[in-house]
């Protein structure tokens, strides 16, 4: 099937595009009273649709910024709402939309694109790779006793929804966001959250931690409980802090909420110290690990130059058939990033480069798995050092 066109969506097509996306995810259709939220969720000029007689596929994005190793914030096209109508899949519709979207990012000088993937097998072919990873915790509330030395300072304040959104957004915008992988949350992101908060079935609650210097942490959660005798679960959806005291303060609060048996905190950073807070570390179980943010280097030289490096320079040869201007050899080192004709020590595609970029995966692991080709024995070790960050990258902003 080649008889379809791909173009930018008009503002009056956002509801139809959302309905298509929901149908692709097997989710109930959007409700009519959600239109005002949808209008605020769609950034104008950032949604693509494929049409034959009607809309058959779409993807959108919004403009954000991502922290890269060294602390710079780099423009990020945050891709979401990807769906193709069930009777039009596997005919190249998504491929055409992805091509249009990536070409548009490149033309507008956006160095990075990112997304959260429903399935792990979709986006590698478009040059995206898993750039951050997470873990889920399950806490047995009654067994989780805080150790006596766990700091206790500040106060937790329960906000009223949905009026809380403005305060949450202002607080999030003031967080330092120094960890690689963290991203800004523009109004398009908060509009999506407001829409969730508006739904009767979800009922998220929001809290902030007020420390000695003012608000320094936020969390969003809800409590799931069926019958009045049934066990209930407090689900932590979102938790971002500026200080360790805000972190322990928010956990002190979760542990104090009555009528809760289990606390689940999903998609947390791999280095989160939660079990260390408890007299019995087994009170917090890690139940799952998984991929978090998928990244795509849209402008390879600009993205590589934006982050910091340590150790000796290495020449990488990147192959990128989708954005051919990226293909070539780069000398990457603490002194900068330059195109070069020197022989390559590592050869890789855009997806593997994205996996290296925030330091989540080691070059030597990617070489061992056959995802990067090394010209000599020393190259993987040198690249391990070059891309290492000394910490765990994490995004934690689902979109
Ligand atoms: C960022 C987000 O929004 S994540 C949400 C993603 N959306 C969903 O998961 C909703 C349900 N799925 C869908 O709507 C569609 O199946 C999509 C969007 C994932 C794929 O759309 P399609 O138009 O079928 O993709 P397209 O035909 O361009 O496929 C391109 C290639 O990817 C492969 N592919 C596409 N989807 C998948 C998949 N889910 N699993 C494995 N391979 C896939 C195709 O087989 C094809 O391979 P080929 O080039 O070797 O032939």
């Amino acid at each position: 099937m080649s008889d379809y066109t791909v173009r930018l969506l008009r503002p009056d097509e956002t509801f139809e595009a959302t309905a298509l996306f929901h149908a692709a995810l097997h989710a109930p259709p959007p409700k009519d009273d959600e239109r005002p939220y949808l209008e605020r969720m769609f950034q104008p000029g950032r949604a693509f649709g494929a049409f034959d007689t009607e809309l058959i596929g779409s993807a959108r994005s919004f403009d954000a910024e991502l922290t890269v190793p060294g602390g710079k914030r780099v423009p990020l096209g945050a891709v979401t709402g990807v769906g193709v109508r069930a009777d039009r899949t596997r005919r190249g519709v998504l491929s055409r939309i992805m091509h249009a979207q990536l070409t548009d990012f490149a033309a507008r000088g956006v160095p990075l694109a990112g997304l959260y993937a429903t399935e792990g097998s979709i986006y590698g072919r478009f040059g995206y790779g898993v750039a951050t990873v997470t873990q889920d915790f399950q806490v047995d509330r009654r067994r989780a006793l805080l150790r006596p030395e766990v700091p206790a300072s500040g106060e937790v304040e329960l906000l009223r929804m949905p009026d809380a959104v403005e305060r949450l957004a202002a607080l999030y915008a003031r967080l330092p966001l120094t960890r690689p992988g963290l991203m800004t949350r523009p109004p398009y992101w908060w509009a999506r959250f407001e829409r969730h908060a508006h739904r009767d079935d979800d009922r998220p609650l929001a809290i902030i931690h007020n420390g000695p210097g003012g608000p320094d942490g936020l969390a969003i959660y809800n409590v799931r409980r069926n019958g009045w005798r049934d066990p209930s679960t407090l689900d932590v959806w979102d938790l971002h802090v500026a200080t360790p005291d805000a972190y322990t303060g928010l956990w002190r609060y979760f542990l104090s909420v009555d009528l809760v048996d289990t606390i689940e905190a999903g998609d947390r950073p791999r280095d989160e110290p939660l079990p260390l807070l408890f007299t019995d570390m087994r009170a917090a179980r890690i139940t799952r690990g998984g991929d978090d943010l998928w990244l795509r280097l849209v402008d390879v030289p600009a993205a590589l130059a934006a982050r910091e490096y340590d150790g000796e320079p290495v020449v990488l040869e990147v192959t990128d058939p989708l954005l051919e201007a990226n293909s070539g050899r780069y000398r990457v080192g603490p002194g900068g990033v330059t195109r070069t004709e020197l022989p390559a020590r590592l050869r890789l595609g855009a997806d593997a480069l994205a996996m290296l970029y925030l330091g989540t995966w080691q070059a030597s692991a990617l070489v061992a798995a056959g995802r990067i080709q090394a010209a000599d024995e020393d190259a993987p070790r040198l690249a391990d050092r070059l891309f290492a960050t000394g910490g765990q990258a994490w995004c934690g902003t689902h979109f």
Side-chain angles (χ1 to χ4, degrees), residues 109-166:
V110 180
L112 293 174
L115 54 80
Y116 278 80
T118 46
E119 289 188 275
S121 48
I122 302 173
Y123 294 104
R125 74 192 68 238
F126 304 118
Y128 286 88
V130 175
T132 66
V133 289
T134 60
Q135 61 184 351
D136 293 358
F137 288 107
Q138 190 179 70
V139 178
D140 179 340
R141 187 178 79 92
R142 292 176 217 288
R143 186 175 174 188
L145 303 174
L146 288 172
R147 293 174 63 89
E149 66 273 26
V150 169
S153 80
E155 291 283 346
V156 168
E157 180 186 349
L158 183 59
L159 306 184
R160 285 167 65 93
M161 296 295 288
D163 327 351
V165 175
E166 223 168 280

Side-chain angles (χ1 to χ4, degrees), residues 151-195:
S153 80
E155 291 283 346
V156 168
E157 180 186 349
L158 183 59
L159 306 184
R160 285 167 65 93
M161 296 295 288
D163 327 351
V165 175
E166 223 168 280
R167 282 180 74 189
L168 293 172
L171 172 50
Y172 187 87
R174 282 201 311 277
L175 295 179
L177 302 188
T178 46
R179 183 198 282 267
L182 287 171
M183 63 179 275
T184 55
R185 292 177 172 178
Y188 307 105
W189 189 89
W190 286 105
R192 172 182 181 264
F193 170 67
E194 274 186 83
R195 180 180 170 217

Side-chain angles (χ1 to χ4, degrees), residues 303-324:
L304 284 177
R307 61 153 287 178
E308 284 182 358
Y309 301 93
D310 191 20
E312 279 178 49
V314 173
V315 175
L316 308 178
E317 183 166 318
V318 177
T319 306
D320 189 353
L322 203 51
L323 294 174
E324 196 47 65

Side-chain angles (χ1 to χ4, degrees), residues 136-142 156 158 202-207 218-226 230-239 249-268 274 278 283 285 287:
D136 293 358
F137 288 107
Q138 190 179 70
V139 178
D140 179 340
R141 187 178 79 92
R142 292 176 217 288
V156 168
L158 183 59
D202 277 344
R203 286 194 310 251
L205 300 163
I207 49 175
L218 63 89
I220 297 167
Y221 70 96
N222 75 351
V223 179
R224 285 181 276 129
R225 191 160 184 249
N226 296 329
D230 290 338
S232 63
T233 301
L234 187 154
D235 228 327
V236 181
W237 295 9
D238 195 30
L239 172 60
L250 291 168
W251 270 101
R252 240 176 229 291
Y253 170 86
F254 292 140
L255 295 166
S256 76
V257 176
D258 288 327
L259 303 180
V260 167
D261 299 280
T262 306
I263 304 173
E264 290 186 350
D267 290 328
R268 303 304 305 161
L274 183 61
F278 304 127
R285 272 193 326 120
T287 50

Side-chain angles (χ1 to χ4, degrees), residues 24 81-84 89-92 94-95 116 118-119 121 123 125:
V82 176
V84 170
T89 54
R90 307 303 180 269
R91 302 163 195 210
L94 176 65
S95 305
Y116 278 80
T118 46
E119 289 188 275
S121 48
Y123 294 104
R125 74 192 68 238

